[in-house]
Amino acid sequence: MLELILGTRTKIKLLQALAQSSRSMTRNELVKMTGSGLRSTYEQVEELIGLGVLKETVNGRIRVALDPEFPLHDKLRDLLLSGTDYLRTPQDVLAAVDRICGDKYYLGSFTAARRKINPVDYDPPVYAVNILKDHYKHLYPRLRVLGKIANIKVYEKNMDEAGDVTIITYACNNIPPDIVRTDFLGIEVWVASVERGIIECLVRKTPFTLYGAYLALLQNRLDNVLDIAYFKKLAQEEGLLSLILAVMKKFNEIRGKRLFEVTGKEQTMAHGWVDEKEIRHAINTVMG
């Protein structure tokens, strides 16, 4: 019986729409609400009427509703309503990522960059999940299944269309030493250091804009949660010190004060493309 009632995605969408509605609905209304095909909707409604799950009412127009006389009505309705709330929030999705990947992953990029601040102006629900290369082929298909849920998008490396919550996965050779188990949005997850997160935002091809990366860098600096010495050390290890120095130097030049410690020797080492317009935008947003 259950496989007949819940056997297709269209049936589940129809039943959830009716469970959430306070009134009966026409078949055409169900087509628009669920985004299902006209023929498929009509066929599935007929099956559900035949099974006794739905009933027709006629009041000017023919409508359908969950039949309260169906023996499993209350249990089915509770299940349908609880299912509409499953994996709806970033917390739900991050908890699912942690459950699936265990200790074989870490969250980097903007997630790490913002974990000690309250982001100003830029806080996208997009999460970069770095998975150990040796486990990637095994774990990625499990994460990809989350992308079948309506509000969630899952991509490898590059993002197309964003969802209410978006996961982007990367394969990494190892788990860096600065990864910590911490509370993020009320969920215990593995997250990179703030410094590593900012560097990943600045240099990786991710959906995180340079404006967002500059905002995170400046906010962390002003809130005194950025370890400048470690930031430079990490950048040097990653072969990115010249770019990081160029970014910090440009912040100092535009603001006209020493926001970041950049020595005379380091200024000669600084080079790389920096978006001056977005740095000005970040400064204006954070500092006015």
Side-chain angles (χ1 to χ4, degrees):
M1 174 67 81
L2 284 177
E3 67 270 19
L4 292 174
I5 297 173
L6 303 173
T8 68
R9 182 175 293 186
T10 298
K11 281 182 178 175
I12 294 172
K13 285 182 178 180
L14 293 172
L15 291 169
Q16 284 183 327
L18 290 168
Q20 294 177 76
S21 176
S22 59
R23 61 180 181 82
S24 56
M25 302 174 71
T26 67
R27 289 165 172 79
N28 286 342
E29 286 177 322
L30 287 169
V31 169
K32 293 178 181 179
M33 180 167 286
T34 63
S36 302
L38 181 66
R39 180 177 178 180
S40 176
T41 298
Y42 273 61
E43 288 177 350
Q44 303 298 321
V45 166
E46 292 304 312
E47 285 191 17
L48 291 168
I49 291 173
L51 292 169
V53 181
L54 301 183
K55 69 171 184 178
E56 281 188 329
T57 61
V58 180
N59 184 12
R61 302 176 68 184
I62 298 176
R63 301 175 185 273
V64 294
L66 294 177
D67 189 345
E69 299 301 318
F70 179 61
L72 300 176
H73 173 272
D74 292 345
K75 291 181 180 179
L76 179 61
R77 186 173 183 276
D78 288 345
L79 175 62
L80 293 166
L81 291 176
S82 64
T84 60
D85 293 328
Y86 180 60
L87 289 176
R88 285 287 176 178
T89 67
Q91 289 88 340
D92 293 336
V93 178
L94 291 177
V97 169
D98 189 69
R99 170 180 55 79
I100 291 168
C101 297
D103 60 356
K104 307 297 190 297
Y105 83 101
Y106 73 91
L107 300 174
S109 296
F110 199 65
T111 306
R114 64 183 164 172
R115 68 183 179 88
K116 291 186 177 181
I117 60 173
N118 292 317
V120 175
D121 188 44
Y122 186 84
D123 190 22
V126 181
Y127 304 96
V129 180
N130 299 273
I131 304 170
L132 276 174
K133 190 174 183 179
D134 291 345
H135 299 271
Y136 189 87
K137 289 184 179 180
H138 174 61
L139 295 175
Y140 174 69
R142 297 181 180 181
L143 287 180
R144 187 174 58 199
V145 172
L146 300 179
K148 294 184 178 182
I149 299 173
N151 63 311
I152 303 171
K153 298 290 186 181
V154 178
Y155 300 102
E156 288 187 278
K157 296 183 179 179
N158 299 308
M159 185 181 77
D160 185 9
E161 179 186 0
D164 293 344
V165 181
T166 302
I167 296 292
I168 304 177
T169 63
Y170 302 89
C172 60
N173 291 323
N174 52 64
I175 300 295
D178 57 7
I179 305 309
V180 296
R181 183 76 173 170
T182 190
D183 181 298
F184 180 74
L185 299 180
I187 300 297
E188 288 285 321
V189 288
W190 293 104
V191 186
S193 67
V194 169
E195 294 78 14
R196 186 177 298 277
I198 294 171
I199 289 174
E200 288 184 353
C201 287
L202 287 171
V203 302
R204 289 173 61 171
K205 293 182 179 180
T206 71
F208 308 111
T209 67
L210 278 178
Y211 167 63
Y214 295 152
L215 275 177
L217 173 59
L218 182 57
Q219 270 198 267
N220 277 287
R221 174 68 185 91
L222 295 177
D223 288 354
N224 293 314
V225 294
L226 183 70
D227 186 331
I228 296 293
Y230 180 68
F231 189 49
K232 293 178 182 178
K233 178 177 179 292
L234 183 58
Q236 186 170 28
E237 291 173 355
E238 299 292 328
L240 300 165
L241 181 59
S242 60
L243 174 61
I244 298 306
L245 291 173
V247 171
M248 293 193 294
K249 178 182 176 182
K250 184 59 67 174
F251 263 104
N252 291 346
E253 290 175 353
I254 292 174
R255 186 60 181 176
K257 62 185 299 185
R258 194 177 182 184
L259 292 173
F260 298 93
E261 298 173 7
V262 182
T263 67
K265 181 180 179 180
E266 288 175 336
Q267 290 190 45
T268 64
M269 296 167 56
H271 69 270
W273 184 80
V274 178
D275 192 326
E276 182 175 336
K277 178 181 177 181
E278 295 296 9
I279 286 184
R280 291 183 182 278
H281 190 186
I283 290 173
N284 289 337
T285 299
V286 177
M287 306 180 73

